[in-house]
Amino acid sequence: MRQEDISEIWFEYEGTPLKWHYPIGLLFDLLASSSALPWNITVHFKSFPEKDLLHCPSKDAIEAHFMSCVKEADALKHKSQVINEMQKKDHKQLWMGLQNDRFDQFWAINRKLMEYPAEENGFRYIPFRIYQTTTERPFIQKLFRPVAADGQLHTLGDLLKDVCPSAVAPEDGEKKNQVMIHGIEPMLETPLQWLSEHLSYPDNFLHISIIPQPTD
Amino acid sequence: MGTSPRLPSPMPVAPPVLGWATGSGAERSWLSFSMEEDEFFGEKTFQHCCAEFIRHSQQIGDGWEWRTLKNASFMRKRTCSLSVHYCNPEAEYNILHEDSSEGYMCKTHFQIKSETLMSHSGTSACVQTCLPIEEALELPLDDSEVTETTTGSQVIKYEYHVLYSCSYQVPVLYFRASFLDGRPLALKDIWEGIHECYKTRLLQEPWDAITQQILNEHLL
């Protein structure tokens, strides 16, 4: 290609422009979970789809978006107390650990975001987003507590029944959808608090994909 | 107008939603409830304040509307701005809300402005080929001696959304600046349009400011 023909890079899979600000695992679960790895996507250098994608001018934009997700997650989990008590250098360490694939560097800070007061049974609210390609809405995000009034731990199934009932099949009905996080289908009986602590993405959100059950 | 487009600061937009509640004795009772204890009520308070806000906007002709999108309701305002554009737009920063909150306010505003800029023949050639709208509006250039020239002008559309964030339990302002053909405004143009009082903070942490500051301004 000639240099003058090249403009901003963007990625696409089977006609769908890929949002850079979504975690790649989420994109794969949502769009291509049944396809074999490595995931083949198309790289474009022309005709940036202005209506579908945000521009990504620099790495700083990615850092800013990542940190804003982490902060929002902590607003839900701890009323922002934990993230606000951290120093700027701790925030930087979180980002650098992620950027440079340094697990220990990342978790030295992130583990603080996964703690909760001894007198509580979990976070204040669970940071989650539920994605479906079949709806117009980008995602579902609502306030949801990990513990019920009677002290019982809410499960993944409880969450879905409350915020996305169409995703869950009726008890004796046929299973129409897969509920996927990080490429696996956790049991619906799994406590949401546990999922939040152990299966969140680096931005501290549970990104849950509802995809049609594959027919094979 | 000879001034660069100024984005109205977030402050006048969102706090009035709360400010309305404190404006009169009758509405003061809204704030006596603890918003964090009852999230439902927090959102209903927001919707109530939006209704008041829009009522007032209609009285003064300020252009805010209430819009419903499936389950979500919005208030909107339109703004359009004409500015001289001297180079290919670089990066664009676009805050698009993806919140699934129940309602938001929206306003679109159109503004026209012109600027003079430094340019040489190389740059002006670039401008000429940029966009049809610029060609149509372009003033004649004196290439021989003049170092300053007024090139084409642009109409810029500003769109503001004020919606309720259930995560932060506060109103949040999102804005979008674009040309009439839908192309978003260059990020540096947006930053240049920021009101003076925010510029110091902006220069220190540019990314933080536009994203987080707009959110942080309204944390209770």
Side-chain angles (χ1 to χ4, degrees), chain A:
Chain A
M1 289 183 67
R2 292 179 303 169
Q3 188 61 40
E4 55 267 28
D5 291 338
I6 296 177
S7 65
E8 186 168 349
I9 193 173
W10 58 281
F11 307 98
E12 163 254 316
Y13 176 72
E14 290 190 349
T16 305
L18 300 176
K19 300 183 201 236
W20 63 263
H21 63 292
Y22 280 8
I24 185 115
L26 165 65
L27 291 169
F28 182 78
D29 285 347
L30 202 56
L31 303 173
S33 63
S34 51
S35 54
L37 290 174
W39 189 22
N40 287 320
I41 62 176
T42 308
V43 183
H44 293 266
F45 294 98
K46 289 201 255 197
S47 312
F48 188 91
E50 301 282 351
K51 296 209 185 329
D52 298 310
L53 297 181
L54 300 180
H55 285 270
C56 185
S58 65
K59 219 192 288 183
D60 290 344
I62 305 176
E63 179 181 359
H65 179 263
F66 171 73
M67 287 312 301
S68 93
C69 289
V70 172
K71 289 176 185 179
E72 184 179 354
D74 203 57
L76 289 166
K77 288 197 273 187
H78 304 118
K79 292 197 252 184
S80 302
Q81 277 160 9
V82 177
I83 195 81
N84 285 346
E85 265 164 22
M86 289 179 182
Q87 295 175 14
K88 186 100 184 115
K89 68 175 175 67
D90 295 331
H91 295 177
K92 205 67 182 174
Q93 183 172 333
L94 210 54
W95 165 246
M96 295 306 290
L98 176 66
Q99 186 197 262
N100 298 331
D101 197 20
R102 303 275 301 275
F103 185 83
D104 294 329
Q105 187 183 18
F106 177 83
W107 269 100
I109 308 297
N110 201 55
R111 65 172 180 80
K112 298 183 207 169
L113 297 169
M114 292 301 177
E115 291 167 350
Y116 50 87
E119 58 270 19
E120 310 288 339
N121 283 328
F123 303 137
R124 185 160 186 255
Y125 298 109
I126 298 293
F128 73 89
R129 287 184 181 155
I130 298 177
Y131 305 80
Q132 283 178 281
T133 49
T134 50
T135 61
E136 213 177 274
R137 235 173 169 182
F139 54 76
I140 299 170
Q141 180 182 342
K142 294 204 171 131
L143 293 177
F144 193 86
R145 293 194 189 272
V147 189
D150 60 3
Q152 289 284 328
L153 291 175
H154 280 138
T155 64
L156 178 59
D158 293 333
L159 174 70
L160 293 169
K161 273 193 217 116
D162 195 56
V163 310
C164 191
S166 57
V168 192
E171 279 186 17
D172 50 351
E174 194 191 317
K175 182 166 174 274
K176 292 204 184 102
N177 293 310
Q178 288 182 305
V179 178
M180 192 168 283
I181 314 176
H182 293 295
I184 61 169
E185 285 189 81
M187 286 166 44
L188 296 181
E189 295 82 8
T190 316
L192 205 56
Q193 175 66 30
W194 186 91
L195 285 172
S196 183
E197 288 177 51
H198 300 281
L199 235 65
S200 287
Y201 281 71
D203 62 10
N204 280 230
F205 269 83
L206 280 169
H207 296 283
I208 304 168
S209 302
I210 312 287
I211 51 181
Q213 183 77 35
T215 50
D216 49 26

Side-chain angles (χ1 to χ4, degrees), chain B:
Chain B
M1 294 187 243
T3 54
S4 53
R6 270 177 28 185
L7 294 173
S9 70
M11 295 301 286
V13 178
V17 178
L18 302 174
W20 283 114
T22 55
S24 75
E27 288 153 321
R28 197 176 283 274
S29 59
W30 287 100
L31 294 186
S32 68
F33 288 88
S34 166
M35 277 174 137
E36 59 179 341
E37 289 313 304
D38 187 343
E39 52 271 17
F40 257 155
F41 197 82
E43 179 143 11
K44 287 209 163 25
T45 306
F46 168 73
Q47 287 168 353
H48 174 89
C49 293
C50 285
E52 294 292 314
F53 188 96
I54 288 182
R55 224 183 328 255
H56 184 77
S57 166
Q58 283 162 353
Q59 283 169 8
I60 64 173
D62 200 36
W64 285 89
E65 334 173 325
W66 182 258
R67 193 181 286 205
T68 312
L69 184 71
K70 300 208 170 162
N71 285 334
S73 21
F74 303 82
M75 292 207 303
R76 252 195 198 184
K77 181 173 182 174
R78 290 178 184 270
T79 305
C80 191
S81 180
L82 196 70
S83 74
V84 180
H85 201 68
Y86 48 89
C87 203
N88 277 322
E90 295 173 24
E92 154 258 333
Y93 198 86
N94 205 337
I95 305 175
L96 297 173
H97 65 84
E98 288 186 344
D99 249 342
S100 56
S101 43
E102 301 287 47
Y104 70 89
M105 307 193 287
C106 194
K107 178 174 176 176
T108 310
H109 169 62
F110 294 90
Q111 233 176 44
I112 298 175
K113 72 144 195 176
S114 63
E115 275 178 13
T116 54
L117 331 127
M118 307 299 288
S119 82
H120 49 77
S121 53
T123 320
S124 51
C126 164
V127 170
Q128 279 178 11
T129 55
C130 245
L131 298 155
I133 189 174
E134 264 182 317
E135 268 180 317
L137 296 169
E138 206 168 39
L139 303 173
L141 303 172
D142 182 357
D143 289 336
S144 52
E145 319 170 0
V146 174
T147 51
E148 241 186 23
T149 180
T150 307
T151 54
S153 39
Q154 291 288 330
V155 176
I156 295 187
K157 177 174 109 171
Y158 293 99
E159 218 172 318
Y160 306 106
H161 293 200
V162 175
L163 58 151
Y164 184 78
S165 159
C166 62
S167 302
Y168 293 104
Q169 299 192 287
V170 290
V172 174
L173 169 71
Y174 291 89
F175 66 88
R176 175 159 53 185
S178 58
F179 299 102
L180 286 180
D181 61 5
R183 279 179 316 113
L185 209 63
L187 181 53
K188 73 166 150 49
D189 292 332
I190 294 178
W191 280 343
E192 277 163 16
I194 295 291
H195 196 280
E196 282 303 323
C197 66
Y198 289 99
K199 267 191 173 153
T200 340
R201 197 160 37 180
L202 199 56
L203 287 166
Q204 284 157 7
E205 286 178 74
W207 294 103
D208 231 37
I210 297 281
T211 54
Q212 281 309 113
Q213 217 49 45
I214 290 175
L215 293 173
N216 289 337
E217 297 287 0
H218 313 302
L219 285 173
L220 292 170

